[in-house]
Amino acid sequence: MEKLQYISQGFTIEDQELNIRKALDNGVKWIQVRFKNAPENEFIRLCEISKKLCSDHQTVCIINDHVQIAKEIDADGVHLGLKDTSIDIARHILGENKIIGGTANTISDVLQRMTEPCDYIGLGPLRFTSTKEQLSPILGFEGYEKIIWELKEKSLEIPKIFAIGGVVLEDIKQLQGIGIYGVAVSGQITNQPSVINQFKTILQ
């Protein structure tokens, strides 16, 4: 599983498509299509465009929240928030071979995601981010350390956890030291797509 995810950003479908193209052209191998508050027809159109672009670049295409749309366009999978469709239902709709990720904010969320189970966990936010409305309590590095420590205390295998929420290049080494598998990045890659190679080098 790739260690770097790009979460798409942009207020219009044109912005979104441009940002996704730039990320792909700069070597990202995992796109999560996220277009909150967009009209449904625009979101579906963006998903269709993104799936084709990702196929052309042999890149993973994950759809945020919308299981049925992910099925209809044959995306590689879906990422679900805690209040979205359950992992069970998503698995039933999409089948066993699709990737299903789940959001978490606390140790109890992580344990829930591990039992459901999903293929990876997006744990955060690391710090404040303006890209997410109704932001969960901020974890900081200490929050990640505490959750990993609690998993080890319970003698549980550490799942594939991606740090999310305001993550930048300078955070990677510290997050890896804690035991975090990968990162989901939006703002820094949108603003500076050329940074992708540096992310990939450090994550490898």
Side-chain angles (χ1 to χ4, degrees), residues 32 50 59 67 75 117-118 152 155 174 177 196:
Q32 185 189 137
S50 303
T59 297
V67 179
C118 55
K152 287 177 177 172
S155 301
Q174 191 170 349
I196 287 166

Side-chain angles (χ1 to χ4, degrees), residues 52-67:
K52 178 162 189 335
L53 289 170
C54 287
S55 294
D56 291 346
H57 286 79
Q58 296 179 310
T59 297
V60 173
C61 180
I62 299 288
I63 306 303
N64 185 274
D65 292 358
H66 296 266
V67 179

Side-chain angles (χ1 to χ4, degrees), residues 79-140:
H79 182 91
L80 300 169
L82 287 157
K83 293 176 182 170
D84 296 329
T85 310
S86 74
I87 304 288
D88 266 355
I89 292 170
R91 183 68 70 200
H92 178 71
I93 293 168
L94 295 177
E96 290 301 317
N97 62 340
K98 297 295 187 181
I99 300 165
I100 299 179
T103 300
N105 176 244
T106 64
I107 182 65
S108 62
D109 296 341
V110 171
L111 293 170
Q112 175 193 321
R113 289 317 200 184
M114 288 169 73
T115 54
E116 285 173 333
C118 55
D119 298 303
Y120 73 89
I121 296 167
L123 179 62
L126 171 61
R127 56 173 65 87
F128 176 78
T129 170
S130 58
T131 59
K132 184 124 170 93
E133 294 172 16
Q134 299 169 320
L135 198 66
S136 299
I138 288 163
L139 288 173

Side-chain angles (χ1 to χ4, degrees), residues 152-190:
K152 287 177 177 172
E153 276 286 289
K154 296 176 191 296
S155 301
L156 293 168
E157 190 180 337
I158 308 300
K160 287 185 170 70
I161 293 176
F162 286 77
I164 187 168
V167 178
V168 293
L169 188 66
E170 291 72 27
D171 301 326
I172 306 298
K173 285 188 174 164
Q174 191 170 349
L175 289 166
Q176 285 187 315
I178 292 166
I180 300 301
Y181 177 82
V183 292
V185 182
S186 188
Q188 191 173 27
I189 287 176
T190 300

Side-chain angles (χ1 to χ4, degrees), residues 139-152:
L139 288 173
F141 293 105
E142 305 78 14
Y144 287 98
E145 281 171 351
K146 187 165 184 291
I147 286 169
I148 297 293
W149 179 82
E150 288 187 55
L151 290 171
K152 287 177 177 172

